[in-house]
Amino acid sequence: MGGNLSAVFGVVSLVTALAAALWAVLRLRARRGIATATQRATYEVLHTAGLAAEPLRGGLSAAGAAKAVRHLRALVGAAGLALTDRDALLALDGHGAHHGDQLLAAARKAVGTGRSTVLRESELHCDLVDCPVRGAVVAPLSADGRVVGALVAVADEQPAPGLVQATLETAHWAGDQLALAELDSSRERLARAEVRALRAQISPHFIYNALTAIGSFVRTDPERARELILEFAEFTRYSFRAHGEFTTLAEELRSIDRYLTIERARFGERLQVRLQIAPEVLPVTLPFLCLQPLVENAVRHGLSRKPGTGMVSIEARDAGAECHITVEDDGVGMDPTTLTAGIAEVSGAGSDPADDPGQHVGLSNVDERLRSAFGDRFGLIVETGLGSGTKVSMRVPKFHAGVRATS
């Protein structure tokens, strides 16, 4: 009898343990189900926000609004959604198109006051018997402290507090994206201004010397003078092109070759050039007028004041995901203490005090544009010393988001 009781208790214990284990598994699965649903919802919201952000980062325009409005509507969860600028309705998705004039009037009022408003059904007069619109929430869009437009959420029932809050938060987020668009635009304008400043530094000095060198051949060697004029024309065409923030290494080297052809006509055998370029890095994209100023700097501030022969070496080699470029001269060099904050304009030791400092080609300009394009890890590295020449190195990633050469 005792043995049977022991067996029964053993079975009961086993069943109890199995039940507890099964309950634990069910609870774990329930938790995982909740976690999976939460993660899926989070992913969907972030993915939708990303789809809306991309066109908004181009600024508030009809084309960008048409692409963004459907995703913004999904974020708000509204029956319809409209985007306006200060004057016009740019795009509308979902219900509410026949109320366009009323929605635009409310949006203009919100833009003027900078305050959000809720439109009730009684304020949206409509002749349609089955009109689905029961109200709307209008929120101003502010970018960098300025009201630039409005976001209008159309409701198929009286606007609830949840819709109001979702509209206000989405409008705030969309305004942040438009502010980032302004920042991107400002950065591009700054980059163009820096290129114009660099052109202003290069042009007067080089043009004067190039024309003087060409003039010296007009009588003695007219054919050589003609060739130099053509090289000079192509060089200036490239340097003053009106479009394209980026170029390829091949294009930059082609312009440098023209520049050196003219400088060799000026310096003769005093200027020696050594090129070592890996063919596989020729398509690499880099900021326009990024390498050429380093070569001009090597000639102007390195060799032109050095007695005898001078060498300028240009090397570009493949380094996996990067291209490593160096420009080196064996000229007079400069005092390293002039390189304050890592890179400074080359206007210190090794330059002629009689020169206008504004005419010196600045390494800082190139350094800042490299960092702006690729990040702080990709600035210039300068090695120099009085009487020891100068070596300037840069690293350029073979691919970087948003960086593309334009012709």
Side-chain angles (χ1 to χ4, degrees), residues 91-317:
L92 187 148
D93 184 70
H95 296 158
H98 59 288
H99 285 284
D101 291 341
Q102 294 169 316
L103 298 179
L104 177 58
R108 286 174 174 170
K109 182 178 179 181
V111 169
T113 63
R115 299 175 62 182
S116 59
T117 184
V118 176
L119 301 178
R120 304 297 178 183
E121 185 176 3
S122 59
E123 299 175 83
L124 295 170
H125 309 293
C126 184
D127 296 331
L128 295 180
V129 177
D130 58 347
C131 177
V133 178
R134 295 291 181 269
V137 182
V138 185
L141 289 173
S142 297
D144 198 22
R146 298 181 300 106
V147 179
V148 296
L151 184 148
V152 184
V154 177
D156 54 6
E157 57 186 19
Q158 289 298 324
L163 179 64
V164 174
Q165 191 62 33
T167 303
L168 295 179
E169 291 296 333
T170 303
H172 179 75
W173 174 85
D176 288 342
Q177 304 310 307
L178 294 173
L180 290 173
E182 287 289 330
L183 184 63
D184 289 342
S185 178
S186 297
R187 183 189 64 82
E188 291 174 2
R189 288 195 297 269
L190 178 61
R192 289 193 293 269
E194 288 174 340
V195 171
R196 287 195 296 269
L198 194 59
R199 285 167 171 160
Q201 289 174 328
I202 295 171
S203 306
H205 183 94
F206 177 71
I207 290 174
Y208 173 80
N209 287 322
L211 294 177
T212 300
I214 292 170
S216 67
F217 289 99
V218 169
R219 290 179 178 273
T220 58
D221 193 343
E223 184 60 29
R224 179 78 183 282
R226 177 180 175 278
E227 293 174 357
L228 290 174
I229 289 173
L230 293 177
E231 295 287 356
F232 178 72
E234 286 300 312
F235 172 84
T236 53
R237 182 189 64 81
Y238 175 80
S239 298
F240 292 94
R241 71 179 192 180
H243 57 280
E245 184 180 345
F246 298 96
T247 188
T248 63
L249 177 61
E251 286 294 322
E252 195 82 349
L253 288 172
R254 191 173 292 116
S255 179
I256 287 170
D257 180 64
R258 296 186 179 108
Y259 165 76
L260 290 173
T261 297
I262 296 170
E263 289 292 58
R264 278 194 292 261
R266 175 187 171 200
F267 288 105
E269 294 300 320
R270 286 185 57 206
L271 175 58
Q272 301 294 315
V273 178
R274 183 178 67 87
L275 292 175
Q276 190 171 353
I277 311 296
E280 56 268 26
V281 300
L282 289 174
V284 168
T285 300
L286 68 166
F288 177 62
L289 284 183
C290 187
L291 184 59
Q292 178 182 303
L294 307 184
V295 177
E296 180 168 354
N297 187 76
V299 174
R300 285 184 60 189
H301 303 294
L303 304 180
S304 63
R305 297 173 179 84
K306 176 186 176 181
T309 301
M311 172 72 73
V312 173
S313 301
I314 305 170
E315 179 182 355
R317 57 187 179 86

Side-chain angles (χ1 to χ4, degrees), residues 57 77 84 88 91 138-139 171 206-207 216 220 248 329 350 360-361 367 371 390 395-396 402:
R57 289 291 294 271
T84 79
V138 185
F206 177 71
I207 290 174
S216 67
T220 58
T248 63
D329 67 75
H360 292 283
V361 179
D367 179 70
R371 293 176 189 272
T390 302
R395 296 159 46 224
V396 178

Side-chain angles (χ1 to χ4, degrees), residues 59-67 69 82-92 104 141 148-150:
L60 190 58
S61 64
K67 294 179 181 179
V69 67
L83 272 176
T84 79
D85 59 15
R86 297 183 64 89
D87 302 310
L89 195 154
L90 301 177
L92 187 148
L104 177 58
L141 289 173
V148 296

